[in-house]
Structures are given as C-alpha cells and as structure tokens.
Amino acid sequence: MIQLVRGFKDILPEELSLWQYIEKKAISLFSAFGYKEIRLPLLEKSALFARSIGEGTDIVEKEMYSFIDRNEEWLTLRPEATASVVRAYIQHKMYATEPLRKLFTIGPMFRRERPQKGRYRQFYQIGVEAFGSASPLLDAQMIYMPMLFLSRLGVKDVKVHVNSLGCEECRPIYKEKLLSFINTKEAQLCPDCQRRKEVNPLRVLDCKVLSCKEAIVGVPDVLGSLCGACDTHFKIVLEILSRQKVPFEISPSLVRGLDYYTRTAFEIQTDLLGAQSAIAGGGRYDGLVSALGGPSTPAIGFAFGLDRLAEVVSQYQTILPLGLDVFIAALGEKSQGKAFDWLCELAKQGFTVEMDFDGRSLKSQMKQADRLNARFALIIGEEELSQGAVIFRNMETKEQISISTQEVVQVIADTISFK
Ligand code: AMP
C-alpha cells in the first residue's frame, strides 16, 4: 500500500471541524479590523524566496521544495506566505490604490524540516500583512490582534516575546558587534554557523544546535545598539501593549528565522506544545517591498501556525463535530422514495440532512442518527405514510410528534430555524 509522504499528514473530517471553526473566527476577527483575504499560488519562482527570506537562512539553504520546470526555470513550493504577498502587492500595484493595504491569507506552506510532533513538511498558516504605515500603532495592532484572537478561542497561558532588530542605520553596527563577539567563540559554533556568520551573524542567535546556544551566552544585546528612532518606536509599541494589557516579555535574542525583519519582531509562545512552543510569529519588514522591486513601503505582518493552533485550542475546548439538522429514517421502499424527495427539498433550503439508502432496521437507522449527531429525526413508516402522517423526533429531548405529510418541510423549517 502506498502511504503518505513523510512529514505530510491528512486532516480527517473529525479534526477538520475544529480547523473550520478556527478559520471562521479568524476571518471574522481580521475582517473586523479591515483586513481582506487574498489567495495566492503555492508555487513561485525560487528567486523570490532566496531574495526575501535570505540566502543564509535554514529555510532557503535546506528546507525548500524546489525543482526545475520544463522551461528550465527554478520553482519552489512556498515555504511561507509573506514573500508571495509582497510579490502580489508589487505586481498588482496595490500601493497605488490604498495608502494602507491590509491583507490576510490562509493556506499550506512547505518546508523540508525534520518531522516531529508539531513540525510538519506541509503545514498551514493564517498570515496577516499590512503595507503602507511605519506607525508603531500598526505594530501594536499586529500584536494585539493575534492575542485577541487567541483569547476569543479560549486559549490562555500564552505570552508574546518581543524584540526590536533595528533598522538599516543601526543594525549594521549591531552586526559588527555581534560578529566580533561570535568570532571569539568560533570553535564552539556548528559548521553551518561558522560558514553563515559572515553572511548574517544574526542567524547564529537563531541556531538550534546546543553548542551554538551555549556559545552565545553573554552576547551583546541588540536593544543596546538601537538608534534613537528605533528606540522610540520600540518604546511606543511596548507602551501601547501595556495599556492594552497584552502580556509580553522583551526577548533581546529573538531574531526569527527569516532575514527580512526590521524593528519589531515577535513570537507568541505557549507551554502546551512541548518543544514546538511557537504558535505565531511576525514582525516589521520595512525594506522588503523595495528589495523585491517595489516602491519603498513600510510593512508588517505575522503568521499563525494552524496545525499548532488547532492542537492548543483542542486542549481548551471540545468543539463538537458539526452535527446534522435532520436524519430521515425510512422503513420500506415507498417510504424511502418519499424520504429521498424530502431530503432533496430540505437540502435545497440549506438544511444539513441525511438518510439511509440501504433499508436497514429502524434501530440501526436511529443509531446512525445518533452517530451523526442529528438534532432531529423524521421517521417514515409505511403504515403511517399511507395515513398521511410521519413522526418528527427531537433527538435531544426524545419528544416526538406526528405531523401531516403535507406539512413536513414547513414544520421542520420552522422548528429548526428558531432553535
Ligand atoms: P514562521 O513562518 O517560521 O515565522 O512560522 C510562523 C508559525 O508557523 C510558527 O509560529 C509555527 O506555529 C508555524 N510553523 C512554522 N514551521 C512549521 C512546521 N514545520 N510545522 C508546523 N508549524 C510550523
């Protein structure tokens, strides 16, 4: 038997009802803040990711699913959505129509990471991006929104880790300081970091290898190198978060795994997921639009990992699998024919409705109605049918009434609509 590809997974209907619940909440909340959905292709030119995420990053160096297309062009299954959103923003000249463009996107991402619990090679993200404002108010909104979202989902015990990575003025100075420090620890670094420290020393701060983690103890703090403008920006963001009572912690070693971040960077973490503690991450990327060929445009965004989010939410609440409005139990061939007509009529009106096609016993049909979590059952017996009546049963209270065949659809529609 051919099995799934390693690191990939099926999301079965039982699990998916929770995902749909989360997605619905996300769409409603982000829409309330004025964000609009955008749908983008899963495949992009490889150069897009190399130029945005950065050549020295794990994602670009080791984790991308790339292949040469028949026209000899390198293509990549997207490892994240920000680069694609920026590409679309520039390609469709969105900057020309609205000064502040607010977008969100939901879909799968692909990274060839080492699979483990909470880390997959195809995973899903809900990403939110805003283009056109450098205001710290927008940074605060980008942190406030995901935290509000978590609270709406009933998730507690999460914390935002925030840092500032400075701008093109002050970051080079910090990189210099960092590199001098790292060079004194060169022997302790993993081969990857020894090589990439020159390309981007910040990557060493993000390395998962234990000896690298030990090597950076006592590393100079990025916050100590911020220029006046970045320092003020960061302080305003923190002040708003305090005012809004968002629980945060300043984490000076948080650099995130992508190169494009400037100023505010953040990650939302929980203790409920073991080693994979990050459920969302994001930050400002004021230089990315121009680096990819667009006009200079400040921007900021974040992404939730939907797989991890669903895992966390399921620890706080049980969302019943989406039930059924009506199960139609029919006994005998004539009743089945009638059941089929009513099934079509009720489905046309938007109710969720099912029946048994195979003439099982009443007992086994009622069992099926229970399994499907039906709220009501319509029971059609041959004899009652010939007298122009059927039984309508409330599966929860077990009350049942006899209704005339003429009124079936009307009674069901009235009862269900006001329940
Ligand atoms: P990133 O794009 O790396 O900032 O990731 C944003 C969020 O996506 C993380 O906080 C995780 O929740 C989720 N995520 C990233 N990589 C994976 C993965 N391989 N498997 C599952 N979730 C992931």
Side-chain angles (χ1 to χ4, degrees):
M1 192 231 145
I2 299 171
Q3 303 255 347
L4 272 171
V5 179
R6 191 167 126 79
F8 287 63
K9 64 172 184 176
D10 299 318
I11 306 160
L12 304 180
E14 294 73 27
E15 202 186 341
L16 203 61
S17 54
L18 176 60
W19 285 55
Q20 287 167 335
Y21 168 81
I22 295 173
E23 286 172 22
K24 238 162 105 180
K25 287 250 178 208
I27 293 171
S28 122
L29 188 122
F30 301 138
S31 303
F33 281 94
Y35 289 75
K36 303 222 163 64
E37 187 175 358
I38 182 167
R39 294 197 186 179
L40 300 166
L42 305 190
L43 208 56
E44 297 272 4
K45 295 183 180 175
S46 306
L48 175 67
F49 302 114
R51 270 170 61 188
S52 56
I53 299 171
E55 295 279 4
T57 59
D58 278 352
I59 297 179
V60 171
E61 280 192 344
K62 305 180 209 161
E63 298 169 359
M64 295 205 307
Y65 282 98
S66 301
F67 65 95
I68 303 178
D69 197 12
R70 290 186 192 174
N71 60 1
E72 308 212 329
E73 187 170 41
W74 274 99
L75 301 179
T76 295
L77 279 174
R78 64 178 185 191
E80 59 109 41
T82 302
S84 305
V85 180
V86 173
R87 191 228 2 98
Y89 176 79
I90 301 168
Q91 189 161 352
H92 302 286
K93 297 193 173 53
M94 293 189 208
Y95 44 84
T97 47
E98 268 176 59
L100 181 61
R101 191 73 185 202
K102 296 185 280 184
L103 302 166
F104 72 89
T105 184
I106 304 178
M109 309 295 152
F110 304 84
R111 293 182 198 171
R112 207 176 184 292
E113 294 191 79
R114 195 166 55 80
Q116 53 182 274
K117 188 169 163 33
R119 199 195 281 167
Y120 311 101
R121 290 180 169 181
Q122 175 175 335
F123 58 97
Y124 292 75
Q125 285 188 341
I126 305 179
V128 179
E129 320 282 348
F131 298 88
S133 174
S135 164
L137 288 171
L138 186 59
D139 302 47
Q141 183 179 71
M142 280 290 171
I143 297 175
Y144 179 76
M145 270 193 308
M147 290 301 278
L148 178 64
F149 180 45
L150 287 168
S151 120
R152 290 266 170 94
L153 291 171
V155 175
K156 297 177 189 81
D157 308 316
V158 282
K159 196 175 243 175
V160 190
H161 293 258
V162 217
N163 194 17
S164 174
L165 299 173
C167 62
E168 56 186 16
E169 300 286 318
C170 53
R171 184 144 39 153
I173 302 168
Y174 176 63
K175 276 189 175 175
E176 283 294 316
K177 274 195 210 167
L178 183 58
L179 189 59
S180 328
F181 177 88
I182 291 170
N183 279 337
T184 64
K185 311 268 179 169
E186 180 147 16
Q188 269 175 271
L189 301 182
C190 71
D192 276 344
C193 284
Q194 292 196 0
R195 182 176 42 79
R196 64 189 172 187
K197 70 178 175 23
E198 300 292 338
V199 187
N200 188 352
L202 288 175
R203 293 275 64 86
V204 181
L205 298 185
D206 199 36
C207 184
K208 292 166 188 103
V209 176
L210 188 65
S211 61
C212 291
K213 284 186 190 236
E214 285 167 2
I216 58 164
V217 173
V219 76
D221 185 335
V222 62
L223 296 174
S225 296
L226 296 183
C227 62
C230 285
D231 188 48
T232 307
H233 185 97
F234 191 50
K235 285 191 174 129
I236 298 174
V237 176
L238 300 183
E239 197 184 294
I240 305 171
L241 293 180
S242 303
R243 212 169 62 220
Q244 292 298 333
K245 305 199 167 44
V246 174
F248 69 85
E249 190 177 304
I250 301 170
S251 301
S253 63
L254 178 86
V255 291
R256 317 263 302 113
L258 309 96
D259 275 353
Y260 51 61
Y261 289 113
T262 51
R263 292 195 164 170
T264 313
F266 62 95
E267 210 159 82
I268 302 178
Q269 295 181 3
T270 165
D271 292 333
L272 295 172
L273 291 175
Q276 306 307 320
S277 60
I279 40 178
R284 218 170 232 296
Y285 48 91
D286 289 344
L288 187 57
V289 178
S290 58
L292 291 176
S296 169
T297 310
I300 180 165
F302 68 84
F304 263 105
L306 202 41
D307 311 68
R308 291 184 198 170
L309 185 57
E311 173 66 34
V312 171
V313 174
S314 72
Q315 296 189 29
Y316 282 98
Q317 51 175 307
T318 321
I319 284 118
L320 286 176
L322 294 177
L324 193 65
D325 291 323
V326 190
F327 184 88
I328 309 179
L331 295 165
E333 229 168 84
K334 226 181 180 172
S335 307
Q336 269 195 318
K338 201 67 203 150
F340 189 83
D341 296 346
W342 280 323
L343 177 123
C344 295
E345 189 50 42
L346 289 166
K348 249 195 271 174
Q349 296 204 16
F351 298 107
T352 49
V353 52
E354 290 205 34
M355 66 176 281
D356 169 61
F357 290 138
D358 295 303
R360 294 189 173 81
S361 70
L362 179 62
K363 195 169 161 206
S364 90
Q365 292 193 49
M366 294 313 282
K367 260 197 192 151
Q368 200 185 345
D370 269 333
R371 242 193 337 264
L372 292 170
N373 204 14
R375 296 164 62 200
F376 296 92
L378 190 66
I379 303 163
I380 314 173
E382 294 278 271
E383 207 181 308
E384 289 91 340
L385 190 62
S386 65
Q387 293 161 10
V390 290
I391 294 166
F392 187 50
R393 179 181 169 90
N394 183 322
M395 297 294 285
E396 200 190 347
T397 62
K398 317 241 181 303
E399 277 168 68
Q400 49 185 51
I401 51 167
S402 170
I403 49 178
S404 127
T405 49
Q406 306 296 321
E407 295 170 343
V408 164
V409 174
Q410 196 54 47
V411 170
I412 293 180
D414 287 348
T415 314
I416 296 179
S417 304
F418 297 103
K419 278 273 167 186

